[in-house]
Amino acid sequence: EPEVTQTPSHQVTQMGQEVILRCVPISNHLYFYWYRQILGQKVEFLVSFYNNEISEKSEIFDDQFSVERPDGSNFTLKIRSTKLEDSAMYFCASSGTTGSSSYEQYFGPGTRLTVT
Amino acid sequence: GEDVEQSLFLSVREGDSSVINCTYTDSSSTYLYWYKQEPGAGLQLLTYIFSNMDMKQDQRLTVLLNKKDKHLSLRIADTQTGDSAIYFCAERGLNSNYQLIWGAGTKLIIKP
């Protein structure tokens, strides 16, 4: 069964450093998302991406964040200068474009980001 | 803004039915979802319901939607130890392209 994959599973970085979180969405999906979950808090939407541009973003997704689809398979989230409060589990998701597949967001296993 | 609320824990005996409840505030919700998260794993889509439906059944899972009360429930029949997980309710509003708003998750604990 196709699945969303994410690398790395755990990333430790120092405050102020740049990190790139990587995701490989399901191959025929065209909508991509990033969510995060700070420990003990709710899952929060960050951004959705379609046709090589951001289609929706939350207030959390400020200038420190960017997303990119550098090739035909990867979808990345970059945090330019990490802060302690960026420590969280980051989930990538993807969905299709037609019929019921457009309503179904499939998630990867997450990348745990720890900022020290 | 929109909000989704769930109780944090539910404890049931193996073989009984589990009913996990969720309330939401967005009256324009179009789709409501249930996701399952097992320890160390990602968010697995279990089922979802469109807002013009009031019930959806899928094997052991039954979703009930009371749109008037903005109440969603997930019933798991014949609960097994493998059902131990955190269950998240999420909704997608009419005014959002694809953003999901999440509850805090209900941890289902199975007693032998």
Side-chain angles (χ1 to χ4, degrees):
Chain A
E1 187 177 318
E3 58 182 17
V4 177
T5 59
Q6 291 185 243
T7 53
S9 56
H10 191 188
Q11 173 92 48
V12 181
T13 190
Q14 288 191 324
M15 200 166 51
Q17 296 296 303
E18 174 184 287
V19 293
I20 298 175
L21 309 183
R22 290 184 166 77
C23 168
V24 178
I26 293 173
S27 64
N28 62 346
H29 284 182
L30 295 178
Y31 284 94
F32 315 119
Y33 315 86
W34 284 102
Y35 290 82
R36 77 173 185 191
Q37 185 179 28
I38 295 171
L39 190 63
Q41 297 186 24
K42 293 181 179 181
V43 176
E44 301 171 292
F45 169 79
L46 294 178
V47 66
S48 62
F49 189 87
Y50 170 71
N51 200 26
N52 279 322
E53 60 184 29
I54 291 173
S55 53
E56 191 175 9
K57 63 181 181 179
S58 70
E59 290 175 356
I60 303 166
F61 194 87
D62 61 21
D63 293 343
Q64 292 297 312
F65 292 90
S66 62
V67 288
E68 194 179 26
R69 184 137 163 96
D71 53 42
S73 59
N74 288 281
F75 178 54
T76 62
L77 174 70
K78 182 193 289 186
I79 310 175
R80 278 184 243 291
S81 177
T82 50
K83 304 189 279 283
L84 293 176
E85 53 265 37
D86 294 327
S87 294
M89 182 73 91
Y90 287 80
F91 292 105
C92 173
S94 68
S95 64
T97 53
T98 56
S100 61
S101 69
S102 65
Y103 315 132
E104 301 166 359
Q105 293 186 22
Y106 292 92
F107 283 74
T111 292
R112 179 163 296 287
L113 176 66
T114 303
V115 182
T116 62
Chain B
E2 298 94 345
D3 195 20
V4 177
E5 294 294 332
Q6 302 176 242
S7 48
L8 292 181
F9 297 96
L10 176 67
S11 179
V12 298
R13 292 206 176 276
E14 192 175 356
D16 287 352
S17 291
S18 305
V19 180
I20 303 169
N21 294 301
C22 169
T23 57
Y24 59 96
T25 58
D26 185 2
S27 56
S28 69
S29 286
T30 52
Y31 289 90
L32 295 119
Y33 300 81
W34 286 104
Y35 281 83
K36 176 183 180 183
Q37 186 180 38
E38 295 179 84
L43 298 160
Q44 176 195 355
L45 176 63
L46 278 181
T47 186
Y48 61 96
I49 189 167
F50 187 46
S51 59
N52 69 353
M53 299 168 64
D54 50 25
M55 187 180 92
K56 181 178 180 182
Q57 187 148 7
D58 184 0
Q59 299 181 337
R60 292 193 296 125
L61 305 179
T62 303
V63 178
L64 295 178
L65 175 61
N66 181 329
K67 201 173 177 184
K68 175 175 163 290
D69 294 339
K70 300 194 191 75
H71 182 268
L72 182 76
S73 68
L74 174 70
R75 179 177 178 270
I76 306 172
D78 186 24
T79 309
Q80 302 299 309
T81 53
D83 295 323
S84 292
I86 300 176
Y87 291 82
F88 291 91
C89 169
E91 64 97 7
R92 176 178 148 186
L94 187 62
N95 296 323
S96 163
N97 288 333
Y98 299 97
Q99 173 181 173
L100 298 184
I101 307 295
W102 297 76
T106 299
K107 185 168 185 177
L108 180 61
I109 300 162
I110 315 299
K111 296 181 289 191

